[in-house]
Amino acid sequence: MKKLTLLSALLAVVFTVNAGEMLLRAMTFNLRCPVEADGVNQWKFRKDIAADLVRFHDPDVWGAQEATKTQIDDLLERLPDYDYIGVGRDDGKQGGEHAPIFYKRNRFVVEKSGNFWIAEPEKMNIPGSKGWDSDYPRVTTWAVMLDKVSGKRFFYMNTHLDHIGRDARHEGAKLLLAQATRLSEGLPVMVSGDFNATPKDDPILVMTDPTNPQSLINTRRSAKFVYGPDWSFHDFGRIRPLSGVSGIIDKIRYLYRLVL
């Protein structure tokens, strides 16, 4: 099974996958949920810019994090070429943040899809579940997709690991590997997300452990072309890209081309 992992950011991450006859542009984008305390940076002032960013990069498929239903609706209104799958983490419907997968409606068919929560096996299919030492419920959305251009199928999973629970991130990373292996049924796998981790942190090491046959490939490490810093959190422009700040969790930005 061919696999790859792409790591997320508060800004966009874009890569191109060329797998035989299938050429995809994929992106991951932490939208930052609507927070009034963000002032002039709150979502109602950013939604047009966010849609423009997606339009500029023109991904075929992309995963978002911290996306509320209002934000999803705002983006779909501005980006009519896309549809999405995903549910809210609080109730398995529309409540709370989603980890949605957006895709170009005219290019892809979603053959199978589903959701699970980053939690112990007995709770992972119960909406709103918190696992281990997690501070919030964390949901994952997945899909088996048919590319009508190439006729090829692939598996895509999008998630957001907890920002507080170290055990939740560690166990969540193991759960993602197990679920990707089980649900993908041997298809090529893409996993995107906000893993609240730097490349050397535990959840990334778990998911890219070369001794584990279920492991994924960190695409920044295998890409022929890499652009940009290995972090992305800028606190709405307050933090400059100086050396030494790349250790901030959750802040990884990759732009690259990968050939599977």
Side-chain angles (χ1 to χ4, degrees):
M1 176 169 59
K2 298 178 180 177
K3 304 179 180 180
L4 62 98
T5 298
L6 74 101
L7 306 183
S8 76
L10 292 176
L11 295 180
V13 180
V14 181
F15 67 96
T16 302
V17 178
N18 188 352
E21 298 176 354
M22 182 169 61
L23 181 68
L24 296 177
R25 283 184 62 81
M27 184 173 85
T28 180
F29 190 2
N30 186 318
L31 299 175
R32 170 66 169 174
C33 59
V35 179
E36 289 190 10
D38 286 342
V40 297
N41 296 306
Q42 58 186 294
W43 176 253
K44 64 183 179 182
F45 302 122
R46 291 188 291 112
K47 56 188 177 183
D48 290 325
I49 298 172
D52 285 345
L53 185 148
V54 176
R55 194 177 294 111
F56 174 80
H57 288 296
D58 192 31
D60 300 304
V61 293
W62 59 286
Q65 300 83 37
E66 294 194 31
T68 65
K69 187 58 167 60
T70 296
Q71 289 174 295
I72 292 171
D73 290 342
D74 285 340
L75 289 172
L76 292 178
E77 179 182 353
R78 290 160 176 77
L79 301 167
D81 291 340
Y82 292 93
D83 205 342
Y84 88 102
I85 55 172
V87 297
R89 68 187 186 185
D90 293 346
D91 59 5
K93 298 177 182 178
Q94 298 183 5
E97 296 177 12
H98 299 51
I101 294 173
F102 291 85
Y103 61 94
K104 287 187 174 177
R105 63 173 74 241
N106 291 331
R107 177 167 180 180
F108 301 101
V109 175
V110 178
E111 294 188 332
K112 297 180 183 178
S113 66
N115 309 275
F116 61 88
W117 277 255
I118 304 296
E120 294 85 347
E122 65 272 16
K123 299 191 296 183
M124 61 182 289
N125 293 312
I126 301 175
S129 292
K130 292 193 295 185
W132 301 281
D133 55 351
S134 182
D135 196 42
Y136 288 104
R138 299 290 181 174
V139 68
T140 300
T141 293
W142 62 268
V144 173
M145 310 190 79
L146 170 67
D147 176 14
K148 291 188 287 187
V149 173
S150 66
K152 294 181 178 292
R153 298 161 67 238
F154 64 97
F155 178 83
Y156 186 21
M157 178 182 288
N158 183 55
T159 194
H160 189 175
L161 295 185
D162 199 65
H163 66 304
I164 297 294
R166 299 180 70 174
D167 289 342
R169 288 195 296 274
H170 177 83
E171 296 298 331
K174 292 166 57 178
L175 178 64
L176 291 172
L177 289 181
Q179 287 290 87
T181 300
R182 183 178 72 86
L183 296 168
S184 65
E185 300 177 351
L187 293 172
V189 170
M190 291 193 296
V191 179
S192 63
D194 181 338
F195 300 116
N196 273 302
T198 65
K200 295 182 179 179
D201 285 343
D202 177 76
I204 308 305
L205 297 179
V206 168
M207 287 188 286
T208 59
D209 179 4
T211 67
N212 183 352
Q214 295 182 339
S215 67
L216 303 173
I217 298 169
N218 181 339
T219 45
R220 186 174 178 92
R221 302 300 181 219
S222 60
K224 293 183 178 180
F225 173 74
V226 177
Y227 171 79
D230 63 355
W231 67 287
S232 71
F233 179 66
H234 54 78
D235 197 16
F236 294 118
R238 298 183 183 94
I239 298 177
R240 298 182 180 277
L242 302 175
S243 61
V245 296
S246 60
I248 302 173
I249 65 167
D250 179 16
K251 323 308 177 191
I252 306 167
R253 185 186 184 202
Y254 296 162
L255 177 65
Y256 42 74
R257 181 177 297 272
L258 173 70
V259 178
L260 286 180

